[in-house]
């Protein structure tokens, strides 16, 4: 049975939490009223206050980003890449401390916090290389005429990042923006500000000029409406919920600014006949419970061929029940708490709804303990397809299993939601794999494994899951604009 282990015992690892500041025009600012108290989700202890940016702070950040843009866009790409590489070295040097901050404020196991720092580095590495390849083109022309397409940085960017991946998401956005030559105002999550501060400090120490990267916290709606309406900001990017994504996209549309939106999902996992159900269950438990299920790519709706359904459900439930849940600093812990009381209540509400609709709770289904936001790894089976848990992204340690009799039925159920981010399929049929690749409505599909793409492949969703892609060959595209130059070379 999953249990919460004793509190963090390694005090050398779980030590102090950094002071949180705003970073504007090359200066850390601490003395502001607090908008939020950061809380350790493992024991609910308050870690420290988050200063709230005033309107004047936001105006100053906008002026700084405008000034920083002029400096950075004219900095040679090789110099920009050098700063990104310096930052990678510093992140790697500081991985123990940053991993510790992530576990303190977000709750994920310490090894996962360190892995996330490494993932952040992969984005910087990839984008540093891409910054050297922002090739334009020369168009065929008649004599005495040159026609070119220049790829130029779009301008200052407003970037909004979430609490579940507090360093890799800021890294993904900031690295692409900086590599393209843009300046940035980053509003990172107030729930996990320490990782964002540490990330910014690495870039500053790496040699980034003042004003190029600014960091603010505060009242989210006030910050987004101020920044997005400002003529200084030329592009808006968010990783977060569909709800907030639509709000920010509307604000951006009203101000005629492009968006890059990486929003929620509710990933289906199609499991076909003739597969090794126990082997897949092992992978499913590890992947589902990573970050306590609080990741947009988390596999959630297990749509399983009836011939292997019971084997899969029982193996999945057994492994889930055996997972070690506890404080992320405790050695051997596989899953930490959910981020806050809000998520605890939201996950439990989905479970209660499913229970009342006749679902079988084959693992978990309850909070663990009364201190810290721990929820038992939970597997629900035999849900009606309109149960809330089948239609609402769980963003927690919650997996749903339903049996189907055909690939037609599986695809119809998988595609029945308004979101389409990640999806997974297990099959030994080449024919089915090809059909799934063609017909499943998603941005990323993994077949016969539950992995996600790295920096070198595009990531993003279809339908309500977002607009645009992060990573891959198109990594800098959202941060660049094409300028067509038609130049007559004859004397005038
Ligand atoms: N795609 C992701 O990676 C991701 C990450 C976190 C949360 N979520 C989704 O959000 C749901 C709810 O989580 P929550 O309760 O923390 O969500 P929330 O919408 O209350 O807040 C999420 C984040 O968005 C920011 N935010 C909220 N309103 C904003 C606004 N008007 N302008 C700018 N930023 C704003 C907040 O600062 C916070 O950091 C989850 O169930 C999940 O579906 C998705
Ligand atoms: O920036 S990434 O680490 O690739 C990342 C992870 C998770 C999510 C969504 O939760 C978005 C981006």
């Amino acid at each position: 049975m999953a249990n919460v282990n004793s509190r963090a015992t390694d005090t050398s690892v779980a030590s102090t939490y950094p002071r949180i500041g705003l970073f504007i025009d090359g200066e850390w600012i601490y003395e502001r009223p607090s908008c939020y108290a950061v809380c350790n989700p493992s024991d609910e202890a308050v870690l420290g206050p988050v200063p709230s940016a005033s309107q004047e702070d936001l105006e100053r950040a906008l002026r700084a980003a405008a000034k920083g843009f002029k400096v950075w866009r004219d900095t040679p790409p090789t110099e920009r890449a050098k700063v990104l590489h310096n930052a990678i070295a510093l992140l790697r040097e500081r991985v123990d401390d940053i991993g510790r901050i992530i576990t303190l404020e977000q709750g994920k196991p310490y090894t996962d916090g360190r892995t996330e720092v490494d993932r952040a580095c992969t984005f910087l590495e990839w984008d540093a290389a891409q910054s050297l390849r922002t090739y334009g083109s020369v168009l065929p022309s008649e004599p005495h005429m040159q026609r070119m397409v220049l790829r130029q940085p779009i301008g200052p960017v407003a970037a909004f990042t979430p609490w579940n991946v507090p360093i890799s998401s800021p890294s993904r956005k900031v690295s692409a923006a900086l590599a393209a030559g843009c300046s940035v105002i980053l509003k990172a999550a107030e729930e996990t500000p320490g990782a964002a501060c540490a990330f910014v400090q690495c870039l500053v120490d790496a040699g980034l000029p003042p004003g190029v990267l600014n960091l603010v916290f505060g009242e989210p709606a006030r910050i987004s409406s101020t920044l997005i309406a400002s003529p200084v900001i030329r592009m808006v990017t968010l990783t977060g919920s569909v709800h907030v994504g639509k709000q920010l996209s509307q604000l951006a549309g009203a101000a005629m600014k492009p968006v890059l939106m990486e929003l929620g999902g509710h990933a289906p996992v199609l499991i076909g006949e003739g597969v090794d159900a126990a082997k897949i269950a092992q992978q499913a438990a590890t992947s589902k419970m990573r970050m306590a299920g609080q990741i947009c790519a988390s596999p959630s709706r297990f749509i399983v061929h009836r011939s292997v359904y019971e084997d899969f459900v029982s193996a999945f439930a057994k492994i889930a029940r055996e997972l070690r849940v506890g404080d992320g600093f405790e050695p051997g812990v596989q899953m930490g708490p959910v981020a806050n009381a809000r998520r605890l209540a939201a996950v439990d509400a989905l479970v209660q709804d499913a229970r009342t609709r006749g679902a079988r709770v084959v693992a978990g289904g309850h909070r663990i303990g009364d201190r810290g936001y721990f929820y038992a790894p939970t597997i629900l089976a035999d849900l009606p397809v309109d149960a809330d848990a089948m239609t609402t992204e769980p963003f927690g340690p919650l997996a749903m299993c339903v049996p189907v009799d055909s690939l037609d039925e599986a695809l119809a159920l998988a595609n029945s939601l308004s979101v389409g981010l990640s999806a997974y399929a297990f099959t030994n049929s080449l024919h089915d794999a090809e059909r799934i690749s063609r017909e499943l409505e998603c941005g990323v599909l993994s077949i016969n494994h539950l992995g996600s793409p790295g920096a070198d492949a595009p990531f993003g969703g279809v339908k309500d899951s977002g607009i645009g892609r992060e990573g891959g060959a198109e990594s800098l595209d959202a941060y660049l604009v094409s300028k067509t130059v038609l130049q007559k070379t004859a004397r005038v």
Side-chain angles (χ1 to χ4, degrees):
M1 146 120 186
N3 68 311
V4 180
N5 303 290
S6 59
R7 300 290 140 197
T9 47
D10 184 351
T11 49
S12 65
V13 175
S15 56
T16 53
Y17 185 72
R19 196 173 179 199
I20 303 304
L22 313 173
F23 188 73
I24 300 176
D25 203 9
E27 184 197 345
W28 285 103
I29 300 164
Y30 300 102
E31 306 301 332
R32 291 288 180 275
S34 171
C35 62
Y36 197 86
V38 187
C39 165
N40 179 342
S42 286
D43 61 8
E44 302 178 41
V46 172
L47 295 168
V50 183
S52 179
S54 64
Q55 280 305 109
E56 173 48 31
D57 290 327
L58 297 179
E59 294 304 331
R60 202 173 144 222
L62 286 162
R63 287 194 298 276
K67 178 191 75 172
F69 176 59
K70 288 190 181 145
V71 174
W72 194 241
R73 73 169 181 206
D74 293 337
T75 302
T78 47
E79 290 300 311
R80 289 191 219 136
K82 206 178 284 173
V83 171
L84 298 187
H85 282 296
N86 291 344
I88 293 167
L90 292 169
L91 281 160
R92 295 220 157 107
E93 217 173 279
R94 299 174 191 176
V95 61
D96 293 351
D97 280 350
I98 302 175
R100 177 179 56 78
I101 293 168
I102 293 174
T103 298
L104 280 172
E105 64 186 9
Q106 207 279 337
K108 66 184 71 171
Y110 183 53
T111 48
D112 291 356
R114 292 169 53 95
T115 303
E116 192 186 322
V117 176
D118 193 54
R119 185 163 167 83
C121 290
T122 65
F123 299 141
L124 288 157
E125 244 156 19
W126 178 260
D127 290 330
Q130 290 300 95
S131 73
L132 307 178
R133 302 184 190 117
T134 55
Y135 305 130
S137 53
V138 177
L139 310 184
S141 301
E142 69 267 30
H144 312 300
M145 178 70 137
Q146 286 181 337
R147 302 191 305 152
M148 299 168 278
V149 180
L150 310 180
R151 298 284 283 154
Q152 298 188 315
I154 193 166
V157 169
F160 300 85
T161 55
W163 45 259
N164 59 331
V165 275
I167 198 155
S168 67
S169 182
S171 172
R172 199 153 216 179
K173 295 185 190 304
V174 169
S175 75
L178 295 183
C182 298
S183 58
V184 181
I185 302 178
L186 170 65
K187 195 215 71 75
E190 287 71 24
E191 294 89 337
T192 52
C197 290
F199 176 70
V200 168
Q201 190 64 58
C202 287
L203 277 156
V204 172
D205 295 345
L208 200 66
V212 178
L213 175 58
N214 306 274
L215 174 66
V216 295
F217 301 104
E219 196 190 316
R222 182 171 57 81
I223 294 179
S224 53
S225 57
T226 301
L227 297 185
I228 295 170
S230 165
V232 168
I233 294 299
R234 298 309 322 153
M235 183 269 188
V236 178
T237 177
L238 163 83
T239 292
S241 64
V242 171
H243 176 69
V244 175
K246 287 185 175 175
Q247 284 179 349
L248 300 202
S249 297
Q250 277 171 6
L251 291 171
M256 200 54 76
K257 295 172 188 179
V259 297
L260 171 56
M261 292 283 152
E262 207 277 90
L263 309 176
H266 197 339
V269 185
L270 275 51
I271 301 180
E273 49 193 328
V275 300
D276 184 338
K279 202 160 125 192
I280 297 169
Q282 180 67 54
Q283 295 176 45
T286 307
S287 177
K288 173 72 244 181
M289 303 309 165
R290 195 164 70 86
M291 298 192 205
Q294 300 167 111
I295 182 156
C296 50
S298 189
S300 286
R301 294 178 292 146
F302 290 82
I303 302 170
V304 188
H305 194 270
R306 201 175 295 279
S307 59
V308 292
Y309 181 70
E310 278 310 326
D311 285 351
F312 175 76
V313 169
S314 58
F316 195 11
K318 181 170 182 298
I319 301 160
R321 285 194 295 263
E322 287 167 356
L323 287 173
R324 278 192 77 182
V325 180
D327 188 307
F329 289 113
E330 183 79 20
V333 156
Q334 293 162 294
M335 192 185 97
V338 294
N340 50 45
R342 220 168 45 242
R343 290 258 40 84
L344 201 60
V347 170
D348 198 53
L350 294 178
V351 173
Q352 297 321 326
D353 172 76
R355 227 191 265 276
T356 58
R357 287 159 177 259
R360 273 191 291 151
V361 182
V362 292
H366 54 85
R367 182 180 182 178
I368 307 177
D370 56 8
R371 197 163 62 109
Y373 306 121
F374 295 98
Y375 202 87
T378 298
I379 315 290
L380 305 177
D382 312 344
L383 300 89
V385 294
D386 62 347
D388 290 348
M390 287 295 288
T391 56
T392 306
E393 182 181 28
F395 228 67
L398 179 57
M400 280 59 70
C401 304
V402 291
V404 288
D405 292 303
S406 67
L407 182 55
D408 283 344
E409 197 186 337
L411 282 166
L413 182 54
N415 289 338
S416 64
L417 301 187
S418 61
V419 287
L421 186 60
S422 294
Y424 307 89
F426 288 86
T427 177
N428 289 316
S429 158
L430 274 179
H431 177 267
D432 287 357
E434 188 279 330
R435 181 168 172 216
I436 291 166
S437 307
R438 217 165 6 92
E439 294 190 20
L440 206 50
E441 294 168 2
C442 60
V444 179
L445 171 62
S446 301
I447 298 182
N448 293 341
H449 69 109
L450 290 164
S452 287
D456 61 349
F459 183 83
V462 298
K463 304 197 280 188
D464 277 359
S465 289
I467 299 173
R469 293 291 179 267
E470 296 190 305
E474 59 215 85
S475 169
L476 307 195
D477 284 3
Y479 302 94
L480 294 167
V481 279
S482 293
K483 181 184 280 178
T484 303
V485 177
L486 312 173
Q487 178 176 313
K488 284 201 168 177
T489 58
R491 280 186 68 80
V492 288

